[in-house]
Amino acid sequence: MSKDVALLGLGTMGTGMAENLLKAGFSLTVYNRTPEKAQALIGDGARFVSTPSEAARDAAVVISMLADDAASRDVWMGSNGALTTTKKETILVESSTVSPAWIAELASLASRKGAKLLDAPVTGSRVQAKLGQLSFLVGGDDATLKGAMPILKAMSKEIIHLGPIGSGAKMKLINNFLCGVQVASLAEGLTWIERSGLNVEKALAILKAGAPGSPLFSAVSARMTERDYSVNFSLKLMEKDLRYAEVEAAQNHVSLKTAKAARCLFEMAAAKGFADKDMSSVIELLRDKITPIQIEKQIC
Ligand code: NAP
């Protein structure tokens, strides 16, 4: 297969993914709305172009790693969108966490051009993206996945084929629903511990070693206690994932009440200025004794 790959979106995740594609020897063209973010990658051998359509023109595989449905729609379907230049054999890989409804629409637009789409969102965060240790959750047909396999392998430790198009997006929302609820409840639990007079270190050690412990609990509680909110996964993206999860679960007649409660906390924290900080900063909303009640009345 051609080694020409295009990557659209150089945020926290896209940048690490691009680095690993270059390391694996692919000829990489990148696009990002904010061009400055491509500087280091250009130094490493990537070709930067100023529109998604130009990025997709000669690529055998086009991957996008963007914030949400709206960003994905702009980049694939805008007047200079990647779909304007994709060819019959081009493989499109949507790795952003987006809604299954948008994946279905994108798949139908792609098929009108004769192109094939995989939805392949990822688990893992900034560090795993940089180390090429992501897990891809893939929806799509076998032949298309086979075509994209060498490229996905360069960025990941595992590639899990879940079923037809949309399966990856569904699985990813279930995954992040469970993560979002846990982060929100951890923020409440830790605030409670801090105000209870218990020794915070001892209390967290008990919880980590006990039934509530999880990799997420360990990573996020450390960030909350250190008040380190440099972004691994931004708060606004978690709010988005919970919102999409609620809509998607409702399609299956499941009402995600805990997602709604967690999303409310993330929305309130976003309104207080934490949208672009790490999701762990949601605890600052609760550490502040006064404003949550005022904001809650407006938002939840
Ligand atoms: P990020 O750092 O916020 O980057 C978002 C990217 O989307 C940037 O390239 C941004 O461009 C672009 N973008 C946003 N709105 C746009 C628009 N309207 N038009 C064009 N481009 C637009 O996000 P990330 O953390 O890399 O996450 C990317 C995706 O992966 C998200 O769907 C997220 O939910 C998912 N994800 C994230 C993590 C994580 O730990 N961070 C883990 C798994 C999955 P600019 O640079 O110009 O703003």
Side-chain angles (χ1 to χ4, degrees):
M1 75 177 292
S2 153
K3 298 268 274 182
D4 288 339
V5 179
L7 181 66
L8 316 172
L10 301 174
T12 304
M13 300 298 283
T15 299
M17 291 161 73
E19 287 168 5
N20 284 296
L21 289 170
L22 287 170
K23 272 188 215 151
F26 289 101
S27 164
L28 183 67
T29 300
V30 292
Y31 161 79
N32 196 57
R33 182 181 59 177
T34 308
E36 294 73 36
K37 290 190 190 169
Q39 279 313 316
L41 288 165
I42 294 168
D44 291 342
R47 180 175 78 104
F48 178 79
V49 291
S50 55
T51 61
S53 61
E54 220 179 316
R57 194 179 306 279
D58 299 317
V61 176
V62 184
I63 307 161
S64 78
M65 195 52 170
L66 301 154
D68 54 14
D69 284 9
S72 174
R73 191 178 280 277
D74 279 358
V75 168
W76 288 109
M77 282 183 61
S79 52
N80 282 315
L83 281 179
T84 59
T85 52
T86 49
K87 301 186 185 60
K88 222 170 183 229
E89 315 73 32
T90 317
I91 295 177
L92 318 180
V93 181
E94 179 48 274
S95 279
S96 325
T97 305
V98 290
S99 69
W102 164 238
I103 288 293
E105 196 180 333
L106 183 57
S108 136
L109 292 163
S111 84
R112 269 188 238 159
K113 303 222 60 169
K116 292 282 188 168
L117 177 71
L118 296 173
D119 57 313
V122 301
T123 61
S125 191
R126 176 196 288 275
V127 173
Q128 290 74 22
K130 197 163 180 63
L131 295 176
Q133 292 288 304
L134 295 170
S135 296
F136 281 99
L137 309 175
V138 184
D141 66 54
D142 286 327
T144 310
L145 177 54
K146 197 169 164 219
M149 202 54 111
I151 289 150
L152 300 186
K153 269 191 182 154
M155 299 180 278
S156 63
K157 64 172 185 189
E158 61 182 341
I159 297 158
I160 304 166
H161 191 192
L162 287 149
I165 194 76
S167 306
K170 286 178 190 170
M171 187 65 233
K172 176 64 183 168
L173 291 183
I174 293 168
N175 185 81
N176 277 30
F177 152 55
L178 295 174
C179 290
V181 167
Q182 192 179 16
V183 171
S185 66
L186 174 56
E188 291 180 335
L190 182 52
T191 308
W192 183 10
I193 291 167
E194 287 171 349
R195 290 189 194 155
S196 69
L198 287 166
N199 178 297
V200 173
E201 219 175 299
K202 273 189 192 164
L204 282 178
I206 289 165
L207 296 171
K208 273 186 225 167
S214 71
L216 186 72
F217 186 107
S218 296
V220 174
S221 63
R223 294 217 131 197
M224 287 174 171
T225 50
E226 287 159 18
R227 293 172 158 76
D228 171 9
Y229 305 132
S230 54
V231 177
N232 281 335
F233 185 53
S234 72
L235 188 140
K236 69 180 175 202
L237 290 181
M238 181 51 90
E239 183 277 324
K240 173 257 310 183
D241 289 353
L242 289 167
R243 191 160 26 92
Y244 290 175
E246 285 172 63
V247 172
E248 185 56 26
Q251 298 288 320
N252 296 127
H253 311 287
V254 181
S255 168
L256 299 186
K257 296 196 169 39
T258 55
K260 189 171 181 217
R263 177 172 55 81
C264 180
L265 285 190
F266 288 110
E267 279 183 12
M268 288 196 287
K272 279 202 61 155
F274 292 99
D276 292 314
K277 299 203 184 305
D278 192 74
M279 64 177 170
S280 51
S281 66
V282 68
I283 193 171
E284 292 305 324
L285 175 81
L286 304 168
R287 281 179 174 145
D288 178 344
K289 289 183 186 162
I290 315 235
T291 39
I293 300 152
Q294 293 162 349
I295 306 178
E296 190 169 354
K297 279 191 187 138
Q298 294 160 18
I299 293 181
C300 300

